[in-house]
Amino acid sequence: MLKTYQYPKYPFVRPAELDHPDETRHVPVVVVGAGPVGMCAALDLAQKGKPVLLLDDDDTVSIGSRGVCYAKRALEILDRLGVGERIVQKGVSWNVGRTFFRNDEVFSFNLVPEPDHHRPGMVNLQQYYLEEYLVDACRATPGLEMRWKNKVIAVTPSDAHVALRVETPAGAYSLTCDWLIVADGARSPIRHMLGLDIEGKIFMDRFLIADVVMKADFPAERWFWFDPPFHPGQSVLLHKQADNVWRIDFQLGWDADPELEKQPERVIPRIKAMLGDDREFELEWVSVYTFQCRRMNRFNHGRVLFVGDAAHQVSPFGARGANSGIQDTDNLIWKLNLVLEGKAPATLLDTYSEERCYAADENIMNSTRSTDFITPKGNASKTLRKAVLTLARQHPFARKLVNSGRLSVPSFYVGSSLNTPDRDAFNGRMVPGAPMDDAPVTTPDGTPSWLLNHVGNRFQLLYYTEDASTIDAATVATLTRWAIAPVPIEPLVIATRGTAPDNLATLQDSKGRVRERYDLSPGSVYLLRPDQHVAARWRALDPDAIDAALARATYRDRWTD
Amino acid sequence: MSLNTQPNFHNPDKRYFYDYAPGDDFYAMLIEAHRDLSDEHSALLNARLVLLLANHIGDLRILEEAITAAKADL
């Protein structure tokens, strides 16, 4: 169907349960939905050594091009899961976005304005490639069982477990699990089965997506037009994807007829008006969409945990859909893993809902604001937007107000109940709850590396000193005292020079960026969460404070049973 | 002092982590103020805002610069 991509077909395998209808198999965790978010959840948990059953009602990847932009933070999470590099290699990396009003450029932004970050602000890649690479990673992960053409048709939660009824081409079977992760997308059949509400608003506008194959030497940048001469009165967005596929997104207005607008005889003239009559292109994919911004009241309902579009949806301006869904799994899985191991109370999962509802609200707020700017309703909004766009040519303040999409960035969980508030003074933005900034480092053997490649998946203590070789025995003893704790903390020494004694992991701050970004002074300590967020920080090692901060960040201080 | 046209929105009560966020907060506040108003009332709201803010600034030299900037290319 597509000219540049062949859809893989994954085989249905007759589940063994069908031959034992009298027994009901019990598994610890079932994930429903093998989209990007469900697969990230399954992969993350399986890589932590937990068996996972991943069910999907289809047998291939995303049909047509849907998600395109994968943001820096999602790439860092995909790096932690071991699939980031393949996505970056295949995709188109970019940092610069340009915004035009009629014929003139009025505003440009750089997603990563400072140097020395591993990943770019954004990578564009057709969703089917992302999914294919995640399927490959899932299939290569021991303990992760994927079942295609397995459709969940009934869900019965109880205090003890969640019972599922699953339909397949060869018959239906039953299962029970301790935890059900629901990643079945915006329409979420499971959310409907459980009668759970999702609230928000529908935007009264329609957009046409055309993916075209063409040879063009436009730079790898995001270009956005307000009221361009080739599509007057509406907006247009252009993105470069892999395989010479370009995404063009035309605003159509609410009155447009979606079936009519999808016809090639309607689409081709629009594209020719934009690109000029001479440029050769082929249509790869066309669709017309509307969207809504909404979220569930909470994301955990007993043993049922909602992630991604099933839990929250945003407008596409800002690439905050799949990116935020992947961040949901980043937040959820380490917590679920501690609960599965009996090392944290199940109420820790309430903080998944707390932190990710906060993030969803931020995403919905930003994408709603972008939508309000891109599709102003009412004369006052239109006049104000025109004022911004006409002032933007001359005046820097107005350029900042031009909102053609605020692209996906991670939330700072500043109000999270897992944070230990600062006792000591720090500058910079690595506050408790912050997603960690990356920085270049060098390993002791002289290999250049990145800070984020050395953190994640467990709690860690980042300890800074100028010369790591001078760390004394008492400090080593303190840094290593949590090595065999129920929830261990691994030390990571950051130093200007030298290697720490007793095989303590050491990274050299080769360009001084770690010290700069984390406002480190000799003796500074950060407690890092398994999802690369800051839990707490101090100017000096204080074991009692670290104990308390760890207990707080895992809810072990609230254990009641 | 002359007219400041650099980004200048801020809120001492709120920590911002992204540079566009304070301006977006202002713009959202402004759009919200116009919600459900008739065109006549919207125009009146804008005019009242101009007067309030002009009085707050006070310095006629700055206000003259602002009027000139606003009138350019109109």
Side-chain angles (χ1 to χ4, degrees):
Chain A
M1 183 165 49
L2 297 186
K3 294 169 187 81
T4 61
Y5 186 77
Q6 179 111 38
Y7 291 106
K9 196 169 168 67
Y10 301 110
F12 165 70
V13 178
R14 182 187 162 84
E17 286 84 349
L18 293 175
D19 301 323
H20 306 279
D22 301 335
E23 301 163 27
T24 300
R25 185 178 162 204
H26 180 81
V27 297
V29 178
V30 172
V31 179
V32 179
V37 176
M39 285 194 281
C40 282
L43 203 50
D44 203 349
L45 196 57
Q47 287 180 356
K48 289 179 166 61
K50 304 299 180 294
V52 182
L53 181 59
L54 175 54
L55 306 177
D56 193 87
D57 62 359
D58 202 359
D59 62 356
T60 186
V61 294
S62 158
I63 299 294
S65 187
R66 301 199 298 181
V68 168
C69 300
Y70 299 98
K72 183 170 187 289
R73 181 61 200 150
L75 294 170
E76 289 162 355
I77 295 164
L78 292 161
D79 275 336
R80 185 171 61 72
L81 300 177
V83 282
E85 188 59 26
R86 203 172 164 197
I87 289 155
V88 174
Q89 287 302 326
K90 178 70 187 176
V92 176
S93 294
W94 63 275
N95 282 312
V96 172
R98 295 189 193 281
T99 301
F100 303 86
F101 175 43
R102 298 184 178 147
N103 285 309
D104 301 328
E105 181 178 336
V106 289
F107 170 65
S108 72
F109 60 81
N110 187 330
L111 292 171
V112 187
E114 55 176 34
D116 295 327
H117 286 264
H118 185 200
R119 292 309 184 194
M122 208 66 82
V123 164
N124 288 358
L125 184 66
Q126 295 91 316
Q127 184 169 331
Y128 37 75
Y129 280 116
L130 172 73
E131 292 190 10
E132 182 186 327
Y133 299 166
L134 283 166
V135 171
D136 289 348
C138 285
R139 299 220 281 190
T141 302
L144 201 174
E145 188 189 351
M146 291 185 92
R147 292 187 177 179
W148 305 99
K149 291 276 181 203
N150 275 239
K151 182 180 182 174
V152 175
I153 52 168
V155 176
T156 315
S158 69
D159 288 345
H161 61 242
V162 184
L164 301 178
R165 186 78 182 157
V166 185
E167 192 177 70
T168 78
Y173 64 95
S174 296
L175 269 179
T176 58
C177 59
D178 293 324
W179 300 97
L180 178 67
I181 298 178
V182 181
D184 57 355
R187 291 184 187 89
S188 187
I190 292 181
R191 194 183 65 223
H192 284 289
M193 284 175 216
L194 297 177
L196 295 168
D197 290 333
I198 181 163
E199 285 168 15
K201 61 174 177 174
I202 297 178
F203 287 82
M204 306 291 268
D205 214 327
R206 295 184 202 279
F207 292 80
L208 168 74
I209 280 181
D211 278 349
V212 303
V213 189
M214 65 174 176
K215 291 259 193 301
D217 52 6
F218 307 139
E221 297 176 342
R222 175 189 195 258
W223 286 5
F224 190 100
W225 287 265
F226 290 106
D227 192 17
F230 54 84
H231 192 56
Q234 309 277 26
S235 66
V236 177
L237 175 62
L238 176 71
H239 268 298
K240 183 179 187 178
Q241 306 176 73
D243 302 335
N244 291 317
V245 175
W246 296 75
R247 159 69 56 89
I248 310 173
D249 196 324
F250 294 96
Q251 183 190 1
L252 296 178
W254 183 242
D255 296 333
D257 176 342
E259 286 311 311
L260 190 65
E261 293 296 345
K262 272 191 280 194
Q263 304 306 316
E265 57 269 29
R266 299 278 289 193
V267 177
I268 288 169
R270 291 192 192 284
I271 298 172
K272 280 188 181 291
M274 177 178 179
L275 300 173
D277 282 335
D278 297 340
R279 191 173 294 278
E280 287 183 22
F281 65 86
E282 284 183 273
L283 280 182
E284 175 90 338
W285 176 261
V286 177
S287 61
V288 172
Y289 68 91
T290 57
F291 54 81
Q292 39 198 337
C293 288
R294 52 183 196 165
R295 77 157 167 88
M296 299 176 74
N297 283 329
R298 56 180 304 140
F299 298 165
N300 67 324
H301 289 264
R303 298 180 171 276
V304 184
L305 308 160
F306 290 84
V307 291
D309 282 354
H312 48 77
Q313 293 140 45
V314 292
S315 83
F317 306 109
R320 289 169 181 265
N323 284 304
S324 68
I326 290 171
Q327 290 169 61
D328 288 346
T329 68
D330 189 42
N331 188 290
L332 171 64
I333 295 303
W334 70 266
K335 295 171 182 174
L336 181 58
N337 187 49
L338 284 178
V339 172
L340 284 168
E341 291 182 349
K343 293 178 178 174
T347 49
L348 179 61
L349 297 170
D350 292 341
T351 71
Y352 159 65
S353 183
E354 174 200 328
E355 292 184 331
R356 294 311 297 169
C357 281
Y358 175 80
D361 286 344
E362 210 171 74
N363 287 319
I364 288 171
M365 180 188 78
N366 276 294
S367 75
T368 300
R369 287 175 174 182
S370 300
T371 307
D372 287 343
F373 196 91
I374 291 165
T375 67
K377 304 288 182 273
N379 290 329
S381 299
K382 283 178 189 154
T383 303
L384 284 168
R385 188 181 85 169
K386 195 170 176 187
V388 168
L389 290 171
T390 51
L391 286 170
R393 291 188 191 117
Q394 285 288 321
H395 303 294
F397 89 96
R399 274 169 228 153
K400 276 273 180 288
L401 294 176
V402 174
N403 191 341
S404 67
R406 302 301 190 199
L407 293 159
S408 175
V409 284
S411 288
F412 286 67
Y413 307 134
V414 286
S416 170
S417 54
L418 301 183
N419 297 344
T420 297
D422 278 338
R423 181 179 73 188
D424 303 333
F426 279 89
N427 292 316
R429 45 189 242 150
M430 290 296 99
V431 298
M436 289 179 69
D437 265 345
D438 203 2
V441 292
T442 308
T443 61
D445 65 6
T447 311
S449 186
W450 296 94
L451 176 62
L452 292 188
N453 292 350
H454 300 268
V455 296
N457 295 317
R458 70 280 204 208
F459 278 91
Q460 283 163 286
L461 267 187
L462 187 151
Y463 176 79
Y464 176 73
T465 187
E466 281 176 359
D467 184 348
S469 64
T470 64
I471 294 176
D472 61 27
T475 303
V476 171
T478 304
L479 286 171
T480 53
R481 63 185 276 163
W482 294 274
I484 52 164
V487 177
I489 310 177
E490 271 185 36
L492 174 63
V493 175
I494 304 288
T496 310
R497 59 186 180 278
T499 301
D502 291 317
N503 294 318
L504 286 188
T506 310
L507 292 172
Q508 278 157 16
D509 186 17
S510 42
K511 292 191 171 175
R513 296 291 191 198
V514 188
R515 193 176 51 182
E516 177 186 301
R517 288 174 186 163
Y518 290 78
D519 185 29
L520 301 172
S521 53
S524 294
V525 186
Y526 275 72
L527 177 64
L528 307 175
R529 296 172 18 168
D531 59 0
Q532 302 175 334
H533 280 251
V534 174
R537 57 184 179 169
W538 304 270
R539 284 292 175 196
L541 265 178
D542 174 346
D544 292 341
I546 293 168
D547 275 333
L550 180 68
R552 193 181 175 102
T554 53
Y555 264 31
R556 290 171 67 84
D557 60 351
R558 304 187 186 208
W559 214 314
T560 50
D561 49 357
Chain B
M1 238 333 246
S2 60
L3 181 69
N4 181 7
T5 64
Q6 296 299 316
N8 188 39
F9 296 108
H10 55 273
N11 179 352
D13 296 333
K14 186 169 170 186
R15 175 86 195 254
Y16 288 103
F17 296 96
Y18 298 104
D19 64 356
Y20 54 78
D24 281 4
D25 275 359
F26 161 71
Y27 199 79
M29 208 191 292
L30 188 56
I31 296 292
E32 184 55 35
H34 282 276
R35 187 184 297 278
D36 299 330
L37 293 189
S38 65
D39 288 354
E40 191 187 343
H41 277 145
S42 274
L44 188 58
L45 173 67
N46 281 341
R48 287 176 169 192
L49 266 176
V50 167
L51 296 176
L52 286 162
L53 297 173
N55 177 65
H56 182 84
I57 292 159
D59 186 333
L60 292 189
R61 293 165 302 177
I62 292 178
L63 293 170
E64 190 177 11
E65 262 192 82
I67 289 170
T68 306
K71 274 199 86 169
D73 311 320
L74 206 60

